[in-house]
Each structure stands twice: as C-alpha cells, then as structure tokens.
Amino acid sequence: MARPAQRLAANAPGPFYVDASCIDCGTCWQFDPQHFAPHGEASHVVRQPEGDGELRQALLALQACPVAAIGTTPALRARTPADGFPALITRHPAGDVYYCGWASRRSFGASSWLIVRPGGNVLVDVPRWSAPLARRISALGGLHTLVLTHRDDVADHDRWARAFGCGRWIHAADADAAPGAEHLLEGRDPLVLDADLQLIPTPGHTAGSLVVLLGQCHAVLFSGDHLWWNPAQQVVVASERYCWWNWAEQLRSVERLLDLDVGWLLPGHGHSHAFAPGAWRGALEQTLAWARR
Ligand code: SF4
C-alpha cells in the first residue's frame, strides 16, 4: 500500500500520488498517460484526474500497479470499478483483444492480453493472480490457451493454468522458466495454431522469445519484449540495451516480421500502437536502419 509519507516530490498536488516504492515498470503511464508519466527512475502523477471518466482511468492504473506504489484517499479508492479489467483494446475480426491490468512484480509489470475468440480464448503472458479478474475472464468464456512470449513474463502462469485447465505454450529455449508448460515450440518456423493464430519464434531478447499473431489482414501482433512503440519519436523500438541474449539474432528476427500486415502492436513493456493500413513495413524498415546505422 502506498504511503503518503513516501510521496514523491514530483507528483502534481492532489489526492493521487506515486510513492518511493515505485519500480519504474511503466504500467501506469502506458495505461493512463493523461495522469502518469516517467520522471527519472520512477513515475509520478503529472495531472490529477478530473471528472468520472478520468477518475476511473486513474483508479484502474492504481489497481494495475504491480507494487501498490500509487496512492489516493480511501474515499476515492472505494470507487475503483469492479469491472475495469480486462479492458477492451480493439475488436478484430479474428477476436476481441483486452488488456488485463493486474500487473505482476514477478514479470516487472509486463502487460498481459486476453483474446476472446470463437476458437477458444487465449491469454498472452500473465497478470498477477486476481480472483476478480479470473471471474471476469470466466464470464468472457474462460481460457483455452496460455502463451508465454518469453522467460521474463511468466508471472503466475501455473496459477492461471490450474484455475482454467488451459494448456501453456512456451518456446523450448525458455522452457525452464515454466517447467510445467504442456506445449513447447521448437526451432524457428512459425506454428499455426489455427487459421487466425500463429506463434512466431523471434529469438534475440531471449533465446526463446516468440510473438503471437492474431489474424492475417491488419493483424494484431503481441510482441512480448521483442518490439514496442515509442510515441515521442514515433518509431517501433527494438532495444539493444534490453537485449538479454543475442542482438544480431534479434535484428534477424525483426526482419522476419517485415512481410506481415500488422495493424496493432501490443508489447509486454512499452507503448502499444495502432498502425495505418500499410504502415507496418516502413516502420520496421526504419527500426532496422536505425539499429544498423
Ligand atoms: S505502475 Fe507502479 S511501479 Fe509501475 S511505474 Fe507506475 S507507479 Fe511505478
């Protein structure tokens, strides 16, 4: 629980604040950039919410924080929506996509995504265990499959898999991070789970990194920590600084995604982005040119 005595000086005056326990995971400002922003090695409240809609966003950011570093008054906290997460991001012909919130410290606040689809719902990476979230997911049809994009973002995977009896996929090269996983992806060839769902190995950030592709036209790409969006520079980022395994391999993995038709990029860390039709390839070429400059 955030403590007023540890409120960071950078916070805007008012009831919401970030305290000194912030781990700078980015969850709050990725979800609610109107009110939260990075500041040095922590986040802070840049503007206090005004009106019911903004209050809802700030309260959900508070709920999503993996270390309870965001505080507010008990009266405002009591107004936290019970149905906030999963939060709808986009409706694609291949499935509805939701952000799960409830980030886990064990995956450094990584985003997890729910795909609600006729062929069975899919959870991409894992939130911290939350009974209210599990009830909401049950109401949306439960979970058929859980995909772990890489070793860092496995969080409470065993708890979620047990609760829903769903099979877990992870690449064999990262399988030691999820020893109970039922399905291992081997090698570098994409695996078509069904017509609208593919797992594509993208080694680099870790040896077993993979991305998930939903749909074929204007598809949704769940990129783990392979790629994310930088809104200030309007670029897709592949980061050498945060590459834990092999940077040259990571760039080759970026190249293998050039021919996709991506409409949404939904990463584990960093910002999401919706691309105009046809914009994906140019954005990725820019990423590769910058990385090899
Ligand atoms: S979600 Fe919490 S830990 Fe993460 S950056 Fe925001 S305040 Fe810090």
Coordinates of all heavy atoms in Angstrom, one line a residue, residues 227-229 234-238 254 257-258 262 265 273 275-276 278-291:
L227 N 9.6 -6.0 -29.4 CA 9.4 -4.7 -30.1 C 8.4 -4.0 -29.2 O 7.5 -4.6 -28.6 CB 8.8 -4.9 -31.5 CG 9.7 -5.6 -32.5 CD1 8.8 -5.9 -33.8 CD2 10.9 -4.7 -32.9
W228 N 8.5 -2.6 -29.2 CA 7.4 -1.8 -28.7 C 7.4 -0.5 -29.4 O 8.3 -0.2 -30.2 CB 7.5 -1.7 -27.2 CG 8.8 -1.0 -26.7 CD1 9.1 0.3 -26.5 CD2 10.0 -1.7 -26.3 NE1 10.3 0.5 -26.1 CE2 10.9 -0.7 -25.9 CE3 10.4 -3.0 -26.2 CZ2 12.2 -1.0 -25.4 CZ3 11.6 -3.4 -25.7 CH2 12.5 -2.4 -25.3
W229 N 6.5 0.4 -29.0 CA 6.3 1.7 -29.7 C 6.8 2.8 -28.8 O 6.6 2.8 -27.6 CB 4.8 1.9 -30.0 CG 4.5 3.2 -30.7 CD1 3.9 4.3 -30.2 CD2 4.8 3.5 -32.1 NE1 3.8 5.3 -31.1 CE2 4.3 4.9 -32.3 CE3 5.4 2.9 -33.1 CZ2 4.5 5.5 -33.5 CZ3 5.5 3.5 -34.3 CH2 5.1 4.8 -34.5
Q234 N 7.9 8.4 -32.4 CA 7.0 7.8 -33.4 C 7.8 6.7 -34.2 O 7.8 6.6 -35.4 CB 6.5 8.8 -34.4 CG 5.6 9.9 -33.8 CD 4.2 9.3 -33.6 OE1 3.5 8.9 -34.5 NE2 3.8 9.1 -32.3
V235 N 8.4 5.8 -33.4 CA 9.1 4.7 -34.0 C 8.8 3.4 -33.3 O 8.5 3.4 -32.1 CB 10.7 4.9 -34.0 CG1 11.0 6.0 -34.9 CG2 11.2 5.1 -32.6
V236 N 9.0 2.2 -34.0 CA 9.0 0.9 -33.4 C 10.4 0.7 -32.8 O 11.4 0.9 -33.5 CB 8.6 -0.2 -34.4 CG1 8.8 -1.6 -33.7 CG2 7.2 0.0 -34.9
V237 N 10.5 0.3 -31.5 CA 11.8 0.1 -30.9 C 12.1 -1.4 -30.8 O 11.3 -2.2 -30.3 CB 11.7 0.7 -29.5 CG1 13.0 0.5 -28.7 CG2 11.4 2.2 -29.5
A238 N 13.3 -1.7 -31.2 CA 14.0 -3.0 -30.8 C 15.2 -2.5 -30.0 O 16.0 -1.7 -30.5 CB 14.4 -3.8 -32.0
V254 N 13.6 -9.4 -36.3 CA 12.8 -8.3 -36.7 C 12.6 -8.3 -38.2 O 11.4 -8.2 -38.7 CB 13.5 -6.9 -36.3 CG1 12.7 -5.7 -36.9 CG2 13.6 -6.8 -34.8
L257 N 9.7 -10.3 -39.6 CA 8.3 -9.8 -39.5 C 8.0 -8.7 -40.5 O 6.8 -8.2 -40.5 CB 8.2 -9.2 -38.0 CG 8.5 -10.1 -36.9 CD1 8.3 -9.4 -35.5 CD2 7.7 -11.4 -36.9
L258 N 8.9 -8.4 -41.4 CA 8.7 -7.3 -42.4 C 7.4 -7.5 -43.2 O 6.7 -6.6 -43.6 CB 9.9 -7.1 -43.3 CG 11.1 -6.3 -42.7 CD1 12.3 -6.5 -43.6 CD2 10.7 -4.8 -42.6
V262 N 0.5 -5.8 -40.1 CA 0.2 -5.6 -38.7 C -0.6 -4.2 -38.6 O -0.2 -3.2 -39.1 CB 1.5 -5.5 -37.9 CG1 1.2 -5.1 -36.4 CG2 2.1 -6.9 -37.9
L265 N 0.3 -3.2 -32.6 CA 1.4 -3.7 -31.9 C 1.1 -3.6 -30.4 O 0.9 -2.5 -29.8 CB 2.7 -2.9 -32.2 CG 4.0 -3.3 -31.5 CD1 4.4 -4.7 -32.0 CD2 5.1 -2.3 -31.7
H273 N 0.6 0.5 -30.1 CA 0.3 1.4 -31.2 C -0.6 0.8 -32.2 O -0.5 -0.4 -32.5 CB 1.7 1.8 -31.9 CG 1.5 2.9 -32.9 ND1 1.1 4.1 -32.5 CD2 1.7 2.9 -34.2 CE1 1.1 4.9 -33.6 NE2 1.4 4.2 -34.7
F275 N -1.4 1.0 -36.2 CA -0.8 1.4 -37.4 C -1.9 1.7 -38.5 O -2.8 0.9 -38.6 CB 0.2 0.4 -38.0 CG 1.4 0.2 -37.1 CD1 1.4 -0.7 -36.0 CD2 2.5 0.9 -37.3 CE1 2.5 -0.8 -35.2 CE2 3.6 0.8 -36.5 CZ 3.6 -0.1 -35.4
A276 N -1.6 2.7 -39.3 CA -2.5 2.9 -40.5 C -2.2 1.7 -41.5 O -1.1 1.1 -41.5 CB -2.1 4.2 -41.2
G278 N -0.9 -0.5 -44.2 CA 0.3 -0.5 -45.0 C 1.5 0.2 -44.3 O 2.6 0.3 -44.9
A279 N 1.3 0.7 -43.1 CA 2.4 1.5 -42.4 C 3.5 0.6 -41.7 O 4.6 1.0 -41.4 CB 1.9 2.4 -41.4
W280 N 3.1 -0.7 -41.5 CA 4.0 -1.6 -40.7 C 5.4 -1.7 -41.3 O 6.4 -1.6 -40.6 CB 3.3 -2.9 -40.5 CG 4.1 -4.0 -39.9 CD1 4.7 -5.1 -40.5 CD2 4.6 -4.0 -38.5 NE1 5.4 -5.8 -39.6 CE2 5.3 -5.2 -38.4 CE3 4.3 -3.2 -37.4 CZ2 5.9 -5.6 -37.2 CZ3 4.9 -3.6 -36.2 CH2 5.7 -4.8 -36.1
R281 N 5.4 -2.1 -42.6 CA 6.7 -2.4 -43.2 C 7.7 -1.2 -43.1 O 8.8 -1.4 -42.7 CB 6.5 -2.9 -44.6 CG 7.8 -3.4 -45.2 CD 7.7 -3.8 -46.7 NE 9.1 -4.3 -47.1 CZ 9.4 -5.5 -47.0 NH1 8.6 -6.4 -46.6 NH2 10.7 -5.9 -47.4
G282 N 7.2 -0.1 -43.4 CA 8.0 1.1 -43.4 C 8.5 1.4 -42.0 O 9.7 1.8 -41.8
A283 N 7.7 1.2 -41.0 CA 8.1 1.4 -39.6 C 9.2 0.5 -39.2 O 10.1 0.9 -38.5 CB 6.8 1.3 -38.7
L284 N 9.0 -0.8 -39.6 CA 10.0 -1.8 -39.3 C 11.4 -1.6 -40.0 O 12.4 -1.8 -39.5 CB 9.5 -3.2 -39.5 CG 9.6 -4.2 -38.4 CD1 9.1 -3.7 -37.1 CD2 8.9 -5.5 -38.7
E285 N 11.3 -1.1 -41.3 CA 12.5 -0.8 -42.0 C 13.2 0.4 -41.3 O 14.5 0.4 -41.2 CB 12.1 -0.4 -43.5 CG 11.8 -1.6 -44.3 CD 11.2 -1.3 -45.7 OE1 10.8 -0.1 -45.9 OE2 11.2 -2.2 -46.5
Q286 N 12.5 1.3 -40.8 CA 13.1 2.4 -40.1 C 13.8 1.9 -38.8 O 14.9 2.3 -38.5 CB 12.0 3.4 -39.7 CG 12.5 4.7 -39.0 CD 11.4 5.6 -38.6 OE1 10.2 5.2 -38.6 NE2 11.7 6.9 -38.4
T287 N 13.1 1.0 -38.1 CA 13.7 0.4 -36.9 C 15.1 -0.3 -37.2 O 16.1 -0.1 -36.6 CB 12.8 -0.7 -36.3 OG1 11.5 0.0 -36.0 CG2 13.3 -1.3 -35.1
L288 N 15.1 -1.1 -38.3 CA 16.3 -1.8 -38.7 C 17.4 -0.8 -39.2 O 18.6 -1.0 -38.8 CB 16.0 -2.8 -39.8 CG 15.1 -4.0 -39.4 CD1 14.5 -4.7 -40.6 CD2 16.0 -5.0 -38.5
A289 N 17.0 0.2 -39.9 CA 18.0 1.2 -40.4 C 18.6 1.9 -39.2 O 19.9 2.1 -39.2 CB 17.3 2.2 -41.3
W290 N 17.8 2.2 -38.2 CA 18.3 3.0 -37.1 C 19.3 2.0 -36.2 O 20.3 2.4 -35.8 CB 17.2 3.4 -36.2 CG 17.6 4.4 -35.1 CD1 17.7 5.7 -35.2 CD2 18.0 4.0 -33.8 NE1 18.2 6.3 -34.1 CE2 18.3 5.3 -33.1 CE3 18.1 2.9 -33.1 CZ2 18.8 5.3 -31.8 CZ3 18.5 2.9 -31.8 CH2 18.9 4.1 -31.1
A291 N 18.9 0.8 -36.1 CA 19.6 -0.2 -35.3 C 21.0 -0.5 -36.0 O 22.0 -0.8 -35.3 CB 18.9 -1.5 -35.1

